[in-house]
Amino acid sequence: MTFTVTDRRHMARALQLAARGLNTTHPNPRVGCVIADGETVVAEGWHLRAGGPHAEADALAKAGGAASGATAYVTLEPCCHTGRTPPCTSGLIASGIRRVVYGASDPNPRVNGGGEQALRAAGVEVSGGLLAAESERLNAGFMLRMRRGWPLVRNLQTAPQHG
């Protein structure tokens, strides 16, 4: 899939939004969403805290009927399972979104390609992999935990002590 300059701009903004959840979404990933009609941003959202609305639900609530026929740019493949919140795929489909562009695939075994499949089955155009490396970096701990069951451990060196 070839992505446009507009696609890249909207996804870059979605990544900025996702970073707002850096310290509040654990154990969930950091996800941002931009809903746009061409160049025009209709709504923005992000996952603020675990247990709260996901980025897609936040953006869709702000967009209202303007989401119909638009494109959703999401930094992570939309979820397709019910946890503490309903599936994001259901909300996207019900909104009339025409196209979903996502960054990284979600390695969670309850998603892992299922989000893309659910959207396609409903007639939504789906493209993945846009700025995937940036989304992966933002969610390094989540990705490692989902893929290997390991926590992300960082070796943080302290600043040199001056005596």
Side-chain angles (χ1 to χ4, degrees):
M1 172 72 198
T2 303
F3 296 106
T4 67
V5 171
T6 299
D7 291 336
R8 291 180 187 284
R9 185 170 48 78
H10 291 316
M11 185 62 76
R13 175 61 181 155
L15 283 162
Q16 289 175 339
L17 295 166
R20 292 181 179 182
L22 196 59
N23 297 312
T24 59
T25 64
H26 182 79
N28 293 354
R30 293 134 185 142
V31 181
C33 178
V34 171
I35 297 175
D37 186 1
E39 295 282 334
T40 305
V41 173
V42 173
E44 298 180 335
W46 65 93
H47 183 52
L48 177 62
R49 72 178 65 79
H54 289 184
E56 300 93 324
D58 183 34
L60 287 169
K62 293 171 183 172
S68 183
T71 298
Y73 296 88
V74 188
T75 58
L76 190 67
E77 175 187 2
C79 70
C80 55
H81 62 89
T82 300
R84 290 186 270 186
T85 63
C88 292
T89 52
S90 297
L92 290 163
I93 293 164
S95 75
I97 284 283
R98 175 186 59 81
R99 178 177 177 232
V100 172
V101 177
Y102 68 86
S105 296
D106 188 338
N108 183 332
R110 296 186 296 175
V111 181
N112 202 12
E116 180 172 344
Q117 288 175 350
L119 292 166
R120 284 188 191 279
V124 177
E125 180 186 336
V126 183
S127 302
L130 179 58
L131 302 182
E134 291 82 348
S135 181
E136 290 256 354
R137 261 193 307 280
L138 187 60
N139 290 297
F142 173 81
M143 298 296 190
L144 186 60
R145 191 172 64 257
M146 289 295 121
R147 290 181 177 135
R148 302 266 176 114
W150 300 346
L152 178 65
V153 178
R154 297 179 192 240
N155 181 7
L156 302 176
Q157 296 181 342
T158 58
Q161 299 295 316
H162 297 285

